[in-house]
Amino acid sequence: MQSFDPQSMMNEWVGKFYQPDAWQEWMKSAQQMNAAPLLEVLREAGGSIAPEALLTLQQDYAREAAQLWQDFVASKIPALSDRRFTSGAWKDQPVSAYSAAAYLLNARFLMALAEAVDASPKVRQKIIFAVQQMIDAMSPANFLATNPDAQAKLIETKGESLAKGITQMLADMQKGRISQTDESAFHVGQNVATTEGSVVFENRLFQLIQYKPLTETVHQRPMLMIPPCINKFYILDLQPENSVVRYLVEQGHTVYLVSWANPDQTMDQVTWDDYIEEGAITAISTVKAISGQKQLSTFGFCVGGTILSTALAVLAARGEHPAASVTLLTTLLDFSNTGVLDVFVDEMQVTLREKTIGKKGLLPGRDLASTFSALRANDLVWNYVQANYLKGEAPPPFDLLYWNSDSTNLPGPMFCWYLRNTYLENKLCIPNGLSVCGETVDLGLIDAPVFIYGSREDHIVPWQAAFASTALLNPGKPERNVFVLGASGHIAGVVNPPAKKKRSYWVNHDQVRKSDDWFAGASEHAGSWWPVWADFLTEHAGKKVKAPASAGSKDFPAIEQAPGRYVKVRAA
């Protein structure tokens, strides 16, 4: 089942590197190694290794392998710092400890081999990624026969853990994905996505939610939030204590939010232009009409930020400037540095997508979910294989992982346009390099102060890539741009409410062009970056006025209560 395979999106590349005859040579002892099969695989992939470099790696490996064997014979337990092997069962059983240590030695050797490959940067990155995927999959922790924790559980439960694990594995195979949490513990609108509000507009692409004020007065200019369309909006409204939406409402903003439809076959011809015109631009005009305001505070998260920026550039080309401020969280506008996601995008893979779904069709949400899981396979795949299947443990409830499992489809034409014009050809950052909705796009024409946020450990939008937006927006007026760097990753860095008093963030008010220079001069502060953002929003949101008594308007009456119907549609 392709969606159940964490390497499915690698297609040909993983196939080249997961050839047992080649790789298993490196799982043997040093005296038995034969480099020929592996070198042939590298040649087919477009890479090579200098003979002297290979010899050095082999000699280092042989020396370490000999020492490890001597320690094993002498009953010396190796030190195991890898968190997969830190339990007492691994350390108390010499054979298991040796198995783990030998695996880690082989893993280090294979990665050193991959990093020594002479190839183009893109090919080399793919080789390293594929090797890492193979290494993660071959961990002795992933197999009952070599996992002492799972074996102990099997004996302790008299086989019940294995029976339960098999049952859970079969259930997951039916779902087409690995269960990461107790999904029965959550219900959208009941204990996630619970901030009170009303749907005040809908079309085929989205519902527009207006949230109920929690303060007597609100800022004159409302806030429009555009989340990514590749997953559900409620990552911004999980629980009351970690809800970005509720925080903004508590700060006195009248918040409107786009809840994207989960596409089905009726949307299999929807384009990127449709997402801009019928999506973001329609949302902007609707909020303006309901609020009576000419300008709004605007917000985009991840792909939502790319959609928002494109829409604002299209409107700027039409002589319209509806944004009083722009917030972009972990957003790519310049796609020259896309981190590890770059391994999934090349001419061959994009062309293949275009041939299959470029004119009509859907990209299943589970394909995207598999891709993102593969980026952190140990955390999002093998960890659950070990716990759910080998040990028969039921995953505990966790709102973030429930959201992570609630994937969405994408229209094929929209997705293919996005892949080619941003990730592959990087045209969005080129003034007038693209035509969208009948207008040439120039991000430099967006006339608004901008708050840009990046997460330091983000593997989807590297923070340096988020920082690159400072050179595209407000050219000639860098003082209108604010960049803040937060700790942690793509999601945990964003969803970091002040009350938790967790993590830290960096700020630098000097106007510098290079991300490294910015970080060198930045100061670190404990806690959440949200208050810094709140100050920025307050500065541009206008005076305080009486909060609206009801949602919508005469022309846009409330349709249903938040979170609405669209967010509850699950991908097949």
Side-chain angles (χ1 to χ4, degrees):
M1 193 181 314
Q2 187 181 32
S3 61
F4 194 70
D5 177 5
Q7 298 177 348
S8 61
M9 292 294 286
M10 283 301 292
N11 296 329
E12 181 181 350
W13 281 98
V14 169
K16 285 182 178 179
F17 285 94
Y18 199 55
Q19 294 182 19
D21 291 343
W23 292 113
Q24 286 176 6
E25 290 295 327
W26 303 106
M27 296 296 120
K28 298 178 181 179
S29 66
Q31 291 79 9
Q32 295 175 301
M33 286 192 303
N34 176 11
L38 182 55
L39 295 178
E40 180 60 30
V41 173
L42 293 175
R43 278 193 290 270
E44 289 181 9
S48 62
I49 298 178
E52 59 273 17
L54 177 61
L55 179 61
T56 299
L57 290 173
Q58 287 178 305
Q59 291 173 339
D60 291 344
Y61 175 87
R63 183 171 56 255
E64 291 188 58
Q67 184 62 55
L68 179 61
W69 177 251
Q70 291 175 13
D71 290 344
F72 176 68
V73 172
S75 299
K76 182 179 179 180
I77 303 298
L80 299 172
S81 58
D82 190 292
R83 63 183 178 86
R84 290 170 290 180
F85 312 115
T86 54
S87 73
W90 288 97
K91 298 176 181 178
D92 294 343
Q93 298 184 25
V95 172
S96 295
Y98 176 78
S99 171
Y103 161 76
L104 293 172
L105 171 59
N106 290 329
R108 290 194 300 273
F109 172 73
L110 286 170
M111 285 308 298
L113 203 65
E115 290 167 358
V117 168
D118 182 16
S120 68
K122 196 174 185 75
V123 168
R124 186 169 176 273
Q125 184 183 32
K126 290 190 175 191
I127 291 172
I128 291 172
F129 180 81
V131 169
Q132 186 64 63
Q133 292 289 297
M134 186 278 299
I135 287 172
D136 293 344
M138 293 183 68
S139 167
N142 298 338
F143 305 95
L144 181 61
T146 51
N147 186 323
D149 283 324
Q151 294 166 5
K153 190 75 176 287
L154 176 65
I155 295 170
E156 177 188 339
T157 63
K158 298 180 180 179
E160 183 180 344
S161 62
L162 180 58
K164 188 175 180 181
I166 292 174
T167 299
Q168 292 179 164
M169 182 182 70
L170 292 174
D172 281 356
M173 291 179 70
Q174 287 293 318
K175 291 192 296 186
R177 54 185 166 80
I178 297 174
S179 295
Q180 299 174 334
T181 185
D182 178 5
E183 296 177 13
S184 66
F186 298 100
H187 301 279
V188 176
Q190 296 181 25
N191 54 2
V192 291
T194 59
T195 301
E196 189 174 357
S198 301
V199 174
V200 294
F201 173 86
E202 66 183 35
N203 62 18
R204 63 172 181 162
L205 290 187
F206 73 97
Q207 287 188 316
L208 183 67
I209 300 171
Q210 180 182 352
Y211 289 96
K212 183 178 179 180
L214 294 175
T215 54
E216 292 185 1
T217 60
V218 295
H219 292 284
Q220 185 177 27
R221 295 181 181 127
M223 159 73 78
L224 171 61
M225 304 181 75
I226 301 182
C229 55
I230 62 174
N231 39 41
K232 302 292 182 66
F233 81 80
Y234 62 89
I235 187 58
L236 300 172
D237 187 31
L238 286 170
Q239 308 275 346
E241 62 271 17
N242 62 358
S243 169
V244 181
V245 169
R246 186 176 179 87
Y247 177 79
L248 290 171
V249 175
E250 290 174 339
Q251 298 297 308
H253 296 279
T254 303
V255 176
Y256 295 79
L257 182 142
V258 168
S259 172
W260 295 107
N262 195 344
D264 58 18
Q265 295 300 327
T266 66
M267 294 177 60
D268 64 1
Q269 297 184 62
V270 171
T271 65
W272 178 263
D273 279 20
D274 294 329
Y275 270 79
I276 302 303
E277 193 75 68
E278 293 183 45
I281 291 177
T282 297
I284 290 169
S285 64
T286 303
V287 174
K288 288 172 61 178
I290 293 174
S291 66
Q293 295 296 310
K294 294 181 179 180
Q295 288 193 310
L296 323 170
S297 300
T298 59
F299 166 106
F301 176 26
C302 190
V303 180
T306 310
I307 290 173
L308 170 64
S309 300
T310 305
L312 292 176
V314 168
L315 290 173
R318 297 173 180 173
E320 302 176 39
H321 299 280
S325 70
V326 179
T327 294
L328 300 176
L329 307 186
T330 61
T331 292
L332 285 171
L333 300 181
D334 181 341
F335 287 73
S336 58
N337 174 16
T338 57
V340 71
L341 279 177
D342 193 49
V343 303
F344 297 107
V345 183
D346 58 25
E347 182 63 43
M348 179 187 71
Q349 295 186 68
V350 173
T351 299
L352 178 62
R353 289 291 186 185
E354 290 172 336
K355 288 180 178 178
T356 54
I357 59 173
K359 298 295 183 181
K360 181 179 181 180
L362 294 176
L363 177 73
R366 62 187 183 185
D367 282 9
L368 285 171
S370 292
T371 299
F372 290 122
S373 291
L375 301 181
R376 295 172 52 206
N378 280 331
D379 292 333
L380 297 178
V381 178
W382 302 116
N383 176 53
Y384 295 100
V385 167
Q386 296 159 28
N388 299 7
Y389 308 155
L390 301 188
K391 300 178 186 178
E393 298 171 353
F398 188 13
D399 57 0
L400 179 58
L401 291 177
Y402 174 78
W403 166 83
N404 191 55
S405 70
D406 193 3
S407 58
T408 59
N409 304 322
L410 285 179
M414 173 268 192
F415 176 70
C416 291
W417 189 99
Y418 175 62
L419 268 188
R420 175 166 294 282
N421 289 284
T422 59
Y423 275 94
L424 185 62
E425 298 182 0
N426 194 23
K427 291 181 178 178
L428 183 60
C429 66
I430 302 172
N432 304 316
L434 285 175
S435 177
V436 178
C437 301
E439 308 289 349
T440 54
V441 175
D442 183 352
L443 297 173
L445 295 180
I446 299 172
D447 184 14
V450 183
F451 182 98
I452 301 170
Y453 169 84
S455 288
R456 191 177 182 187
E457 297 160 32
D458 194 338
H459 59 290
I460 296 174
V461 179
W463 78 265
Q464 297 89 343
F467 180 85
S469 296
T470 61
L472 302 176
L473 302 168
N474 292 309
K477 297 180 180 179
E479 68 279 1
R480 301 188 79 190
N481 297 332
V482 176
F483 182 79
V484 172
L485 177 65
S488 196
H490 190 70
I491 298 299
V494 169
V495 185
N496 183 27
K500 299 286 187 179
K501 297 182 179 179
K502 295 175 64 176
R503 306 186 182 95
S504 62
Y505 64 93
W506 291 260
V507 294
N508 182 353
H509 299 294
D510 294 335
Q511 304 302 324
V512 293
R513 285 294 186 184
K514 295 183 178 180
S515 57
D516 289 345
D517 294 339
W518 182 93
F519 188 74
S523 56
E524 183 177 6
H525 303 267
S528 171
W529 56 272
W530 289 13
V532 178
W533 177 40
D535 290 343
F536 170 87
L537 293 176
T538 296
E539 181 181 355
H540 304 290
K543 64 182 181 180
K544 288 293 191 73
V545 297
K546 186 178 179 180
S550 59
S553 66
K554 180 180 178 181
D555 293 331
F556 297 94
I559 297 171
E560 60 180 328
Q561 293 300 302
R565 307 184 314 281
Y566 287 16
V567 73
K568 297 178 182 179
V569 176
R570 294 187 71 92

